[in-house]
Amino acid sequence: MTAPSPGTANQVPPNGPSASVIVVIGGDGPPPGRPAWLLIGPALTALLGVYLLAVTFGPLGTAMQRDLHLSDSVIPGHLVAYLLPALMAVPVGVLVGRRWPTAIALPAGVLLVIGTLLSALAPGGGSLLFSRLLTGVGAGLAWGVTAALVAQMRAQRVWLGPLIGGMAVLVLGLGAASGALLTRGLTWRMPFVLAVPFEVVAVLVTAVTGIVALTRRPSGPAQPPAAPLT
């Protein structure tokens, strides 16, 4: 065995000492491709967020205003209280969800469940406003995670993007129509009550698919074979 020549024993990689660290932790590399089934839970949560946005249009908002003795400016204010937090949460869902989709989609679904229950049971305008803020944050996080996952689907995103977009438009119209029908036939609280079981299903699906994805993840990066000593 010969001794290493001077200047070669502790050579630094050509890209600097942080290059090997980046390879190990995936700091600057592109996010890995995701399986299509991982999108089911976040997409369902995102569509329910669209439903909760549309459901207050039309007769439901009028009945809510009359029942809770709200002023004319409160209902548009509740729409802003939903949309503004949602739009602010979308970038968080995209940036963090591209690495940890389940860690963002799961709390988003829980926020939808809590916010929807509070909306259905709201005794006044203040509690209703708070519930709409919670559901807005949950919806925005789910929208961001869904967009990030679709972008990572590679070949499937050609049809997944238009499919989810078309379903969102359909849910937007369905939410407004169901809100009007249920409000006239029963009460304005019923559209929120009926959304809760679907939200629970979305949370469960997100948790299950996240666990499956975690168990299928490789245990660690493959180690290159050691160079023989000469």
Side-chain angles (χ1 to χ4, degrees):
M1 182 174 67
T2 61
S5 58
T8 62
N10 296 314
Q11 286 184 343
V12 177
N15 292 329
S18 62
S20 58
V21 178
I22 291 174
V23 172
V24 173
I25 66 174
D28 291 341
R34 305 287 187 180
W37 46 263
L38 191 62
L39 185 62
I40 298 174
L44 180 57
T45 306
L47 292 175
L48 287 167
V50 175
Y51 167 84
L52 291 174
L53 170 64
V55 78
T56 55
F57 297 158
L60 188 144
T62 304
M64 184 189 302
Q65 178 181 352
R66 182 179 62 251
D67 187 31
L68 299 181
H69 308 288
L70 305 177
S71 63
D72 294 339
S73 61
V74 169
I75 297 303
H78 284 192
L79 179 61
V80 174
Y82 186 93
L83 273 179
L84 185 59
L87 295 177
M88 294 176 65
V90 167
V92 178
V94 172
L95 296 176
V96 184
R98 66 191 297 267
R99 289 290 181 182
W100 302 283
T102 304
I104 298 299
L106 200 57
V110 173
L111 283 177
L112 280 191
V113 173
I114 297 174
T116 306
L117 283 173
L118 291 177
S119 296
L121 302 174
S127 57
L128 183 62
L129 183 66
F130 178 70
S131 69
R132 296 297 285 170
L133 188 147
L134 285 182
T135 50
V137 172
L141 291 174
W143 296 343
V145 173
T146 302
L149 285 176
V150 170
Q152 293 174 3
M153 295 300 170
R154 297 175 182 173
Q156 295 95 328
R157 64 185 171 194
V158 175
W159 58 271
L160 275 176
L163 175 63
I164 295 178
M167 292 178 66
V169 174
L170 180 63
V171 170
L172 194 64
L174 183 63
S178 63
L181 292 175
L182 291 173
T183 299
R184 289 169 178 168
L186 298 169
T187 173
W188 64 266
R189 301 179 188 270
M190 188 55 62
F192 295 104
V193 173
L194 292 181
V196 173
F198 295 98
E199 294 167 353
V200 173
V201 170
V203 170
L204 294 177
V205 171
T206 301
V208 170
T209 54
I211 293 173
V212 173
L214 185 63
T215 56
R216 292 181 55 174
R217 181 180 301 173
S219 58
Q223 298 294 332
L229 297 175
T230 57

